[in-house]
mmCIF file of all heavy atoms in Angstrom:
data_model
loop_
_atom_site.group_PDB
_atom_site.id
_atom_site.type_symbol
_atom_site.label_atom_id
_atom_site.label_comp_id
_atom_site.label_asym_id
_atom_site.label_seq_id
_atom_site.Cartn_x
_atom_site.Cartn_y
_atom_site.Cartn_z
ATOM 1 N N THR A 71 -29.291 36.527 -15.487
ATOM 2 C CA THR A 71 -30.439 37.452 -15.653
ATOM 3 C C THR A 71 -31.470 36.963 -14.587
ATOM 4 O O THR A 71 -31.274 35.917 -13.905
ATOM 5 C CB THR A 71 -31.129 37.152 -17.023
ATOM 6 O OG1 THR A 71 -31.609 35.733 -17.087
ATOM 7 C CG2 THR A 71 -30.180 37.247 -18.179
ATOM 8 N N PRO A 72 -32.490 37.848 -14.336
ATOM 9 C CA PRO A 72 -33.486 37.468 -13.294
ATOM 10 C C PRO A 72 -34.037 36.122 -13.510
ATOM 11 O O PRO A 72 -34.254 35.290 -12.629
ATOM 12 C CB PRO A 72 -34.395 38.727 -13.382
ATOM 13 C CG PRO A 72 -33.684 39.775 -13.819
ATOM 14 C CD PRO A 72 -32.662 39.275 -14.829
ATOM 15 N N GLU A 73 -34.462 35.755 -14.686
ATOM 16 C CA GLU A 73 -34.962 34.455 -15.013
ATOM 17 C C GLU A 73 -34.050 33.352 -14.658
ATOM 18 O O GLU A 73 -34.346 32.323 -14.193
ATOM 19 C CB GLU A 73 -35.418 34.388 -16.506
ATOM 20 C CG GLU A 73 -36.694 35.285 -16.809
ATOM 21 C CD GLU A 73 -37.871 35.014 -15.767
ATOM 22 O OE1 GLU A 73 -38.108 33.758 -15.507
ATOM 23 O OE2 GLU A 73 -38.366 35.944 -15.182
ATOM 24 N N GLU A 74 -32.694 33.500 -15.172
ATOM 25 C CA GLU A 74 -31.758 32.534 -14.743
ATOM 26 C C GLU A 74 -31.574 32.369 -13.236
ATOM 27 O O GLU A 74 -31.470 31.245 -12.705
ATOM 28 C CB GLU A 74 -30.406 32.792 -15.375
ATOM 29 C CG GLU A 74 -30.406 32.740 -16.925
ATOM 30 C CD GLU A 74 -29.168 33.325 -17.572
ATOM 31 O OE1 GLU A 74 -28.483 34.206 -17.000
ATOM 32 O OE2 GLU A 74 -28.821 32.841 -18.673
ATOM 33 N N SER A 75 -31.576 33.457 -12.517
ATOM 34 C CA SER A 75 -31.466 33.380 -11.062
ATOM 35 C C SER A 75 -32.539 32.641 -10.489
ATOM 36 O O SER A 75 -32.501 31.892 -9.463
ATOM 37 C CB SER A 75 -31.400 34.809 -10.469
ATOM 38 O OG SER A 75 -30.116 35.434 -10.719
ATOM 39 N N LYS A 76 -33.768 32.947 -10.953
ATOM 40 C CA LYS A 76 -35.038 32.332 -10.353
ATOM 41 C C LYS A 76 -34.987 30.844 -10.646
ATOM 42 O O LYS A 76 -35.367 30.036 -9.761
ATOM 43 C CB LYS A 76 -36.237 32.947 -10.992
ATOM 44 C CG LYS A 76 -36.534 34.371 -10.595
ATOM 45 C CD LYS A 76 -37.736 34.949 -11.290
ATOM 46 C CE LYS A 76 -38.024 36.368 -10.899
ATOM 47 N NZ LYS A 76 -39.153 37.073 -11.628
ATOM 48 N N ASN A 77 -34.548 30.364 -11.844
ATOM 49 C CA ASN A 77 -34.528 29.050 -12.195
ATOM 50 C C ASN A 77 -33.553 28.309 -11.118
ATOM 51 O O ASN A 77 -33.810 27.133 -10.818
ATOM 52 C CB ASN A 77 -34.101 28.703 -13.697
ATOM 53 C CG ASN A 77 -35.213 29.151 -14.594
ATOM 54 O OD1 ASN A 77 -36.333 29.225 -14.198
ATOM 55 N ND2 ASN A 77 -34.876 29.454 -15.769
ATOM 56 N N ARG A 78 -32.290 28.892 -11.089
ATOM 57 C CA ARG A 78 -31.375 28.288 -10.117
ATOM 58 C C ARG A 78 -31.830 28.143 -8.753
ATOM 59 O O ARG A 78 -31.662 27.306 -8.026
ATOM 60 C CB ARG A 78 -29.965 28.980 -10.300
ATOM 61 C CG ARG A 78 -29.241 28.534 -11.458
ATOM 62 C CD ARG A 78 -27.848 29.243 -11.521
ATOM 63 N NE ARG A 78 -26.967 28.907 -10.398
ATOM 64 C CZ ARG A 78 -25.697 29.279 -10.240
ATOM 65 N NH1 ARG A 78 -25.185 30.180 -11.116
ATOM 66 N NH2 ARG A 78 -25.030 28.831 -9.270
ATOM 67 N N LEU A 79 -32.438 29.276 -8.306
ATOM 68 C CA LEU A 79 -33.047 29.403 -6.980
ATOM 69 C C LEU A 79 -34.075 28.296 -6.767
ATOM 70 O O LEU A 79 -34.208 27.596 -5.720
ATOM 71 C CB LEU A 79 -33.652 30.641 -6.685
ATOM 72 C CG LEU A 79 -34.276 30.838 -5.259
ATOM 73 C CD1 LEU A 79 -33.213 30.588 -4.119
ATOM 74 C CD2 LEU A 79 -34.851 32.287 -5.180
ATOM 75 N N GLY A 80 -34.904 28.115 -7.782
ATOM 76 C CA GLY A 80 -35.929 27.001 -7.614
ATOM 77 C C GLY A 80 -35.356 25.615 -7.414
ATOM 78 O O GLY A 80 -35.869 24.897 -6.578
ATOM 79 N N LYS A 81 -34.314 25.419 -8.003
ATOM 80 C CA LYS A 81 -33.653 23.977 -7.822
ATOM 81 C C LYS A 81 -32.937 23.987 -6.404
ATOM 82 O O LYS A 81 -32.923 22.963 -5.801
ATOM 83 C CB LYS A 81 -32.534 23.842 -8.960
ATOM 84 C CG LYS A 81 -33.013 23.667 -10.368
ATOM 85 C CD LYS A 81 -31.969 23.676 -11.366
ATOM 86 C CE LYS A 81 -32.551 23.539 -12.787
ATOM 87 N NZ LYS A 81 -31.449 23.637 -13.790
ATOM 88 N N ILE A 82 -32.481 24.989 -5.989
ATOM 89 C CA ILE A 82 -31.972 25.123 -4.629
ATOM 90 C C ILE A 82 -32.996 24.869 -3.557
ATOM 91 O O ILE A 82 -32.850 24.157 -2.626
ATOM 92 C CB ILE A 82 -31.229 26.470 -4.383
ATOM 93 C CG1 ILE A 82 -29.922 26.552 -5.230
ATOM 94 C CG2 ILE A 82 -30.890 26.685 -2.891
ATOM 95 C CD1 ILE A 82 -29.216 27.884 -5.244
ATOM 96 N N VAL A 83 -34.127 25.489 -3.813
ATOM 97 C CA VAL A 83 -35.241 25.436 -2.874
ATOM 98 C C VAL A 83 -35.597 23.900 -2.667
ATOM 99 O O VAL A 83 -35.873 23.374 -1.556
ATOM 100 C CB VAL A 83 -36.547 26.133 -3.317
ATOM 101 C CG1 VAL A 83 -37.754 25.906 -2.454
ATOM 102 C CG2 VAL A 83 -36.273 27.564 -3.299
ATOM 103 N N GLU A 84 -35.643 23.063 -3.779
ATOM 104 C CA GLU A 84 -35.935 21.665 -3.661
ATOM 105 C C GLU A 84 -34.880 20.882 -2.858
ATOM 106 O O GLU A 84 -35.230 19.994 -2.227
ATOM 107 C CB GLU A 84 -35.990 21.124 -5.148
ATOM 108 C CG GLU A 84 -37.162 21.659 -5.990
ATOM 109 C CD GLU A 84 -37.068 21.227 -7.402
ATOM 110 O OE1 GLU A 84 -36.124 20.472 -7.681
ATOM 111 O OE2 GLU A 84 -37.818 21.782 -8.245
ATOM 112 N N LYS A 85 -33.615 21.388 -2.933
ATOM 113 C CA LYS A 85 -32.640 20.700 -2.101
ATOM 114 C C LYS A 85 -32.845 21.142 -0.552
ATOM 115 O O LYS A 85 -32.552 20.320 0.309
ATOM 116 C CB LYS A 85 -31.157 21.168 -2.493
ATOM 117 C CG LYS A 85 -30.919 20.751 -3.868
ATOM 118 C CD LYS A 85 -29.454 21.190 -4.242
ATOM 119 C CE LYS A 85 -29.077 20.784 -5.628
ATOM 120 N NZ LYS A 85 -27.766 21.371 -6.019
ATOM 121 N N ILE A 86 -33.321 22.325 -0.312
ATOM 122 C CA ILE A 86 -33.481 22.763 1.076
ATOM 123 C C ILE A 86 -34.629 22.045 1.722
ATOM 124 O O ILE A 86 -34.592 21.745 2.963
ATOM 125 C CB ILE A 86 -33.690 24.244 1.095
ATOM 126 C CG1 ILE A 86 -32.397 25.051 0.466
ATOM 127 C CG2 ILE A 86 -33.826 24.852 2.678
ATOM 128 C CD1 ILE A 86 -32.720 26.587 0.373
ATOM 129 N N ASP A 87 -35.649 21.756 1.047
ATOM 130 C CA ASP A 87 -36.819 21.140 1.540
ATOM 131 C C ASP A 87 -36.514 19.647 1.810
ATOM 132 O O ASP A 87 -36.811 18.700 0.981
ATOM 133 C CB ASP A 87 -37.902 21.246 0.419
ATOM 134 C CG ASP A 87 -39.218 20.553 0.848
ATOM 135 O OD1 ASP A 87 -39.294 20.327 2.086
ATOM 136 O OD2 ASP A 87 -40.157 20.289 -0.004
ATOM 137 N N ALA A 88 -35.981 19.454 2.985
ATOM 138 C CA ALA A 88 -35.391 18.110 3.237
ATOM 139 C C ALA A 88 -36.454 17.043 3.347
ATOM 140 O O ALA A 88 -36.274 15.844 2.897
ATOM 141 C CB ALA A 88 -34.619 18.189 4.603
ATOM 142 N N ASP A 89 -37.661 17.353 3.952
ATOM 143 C CA ASP A 89 -38.791 16.314 4.139
ATOM 144 C C ASP A 89 -39.607 16.289 2.848
ATOM 145 O O ASP A 89 -40.651 15.493 2.820
ATOM 146 C CB ASP A 89 -39.601 16.594 5.298
ATOM 147 C CG ASP A 89 -40.209 17.897 5.294
ATOM 148 O OD1 ASP A 89 -40.231 18.618 4.332
ATOM 149 O OD2 ASP A 89 -40.816 18.286 6.377
#
Side-chain angles (χ1 to χ4, degrees):
T71 67
E73 288 308 311
E74 288 171 331
S75 285
K76 291 176 183 178
N77 288 337
R78 280 184 64 177
L79 177 58
K81 294 175 182 177
I82 291 172
V83 170
E84 293 171 5
K85 294 179 181 178
I86 301 173
D87 179 18
D89 60 7

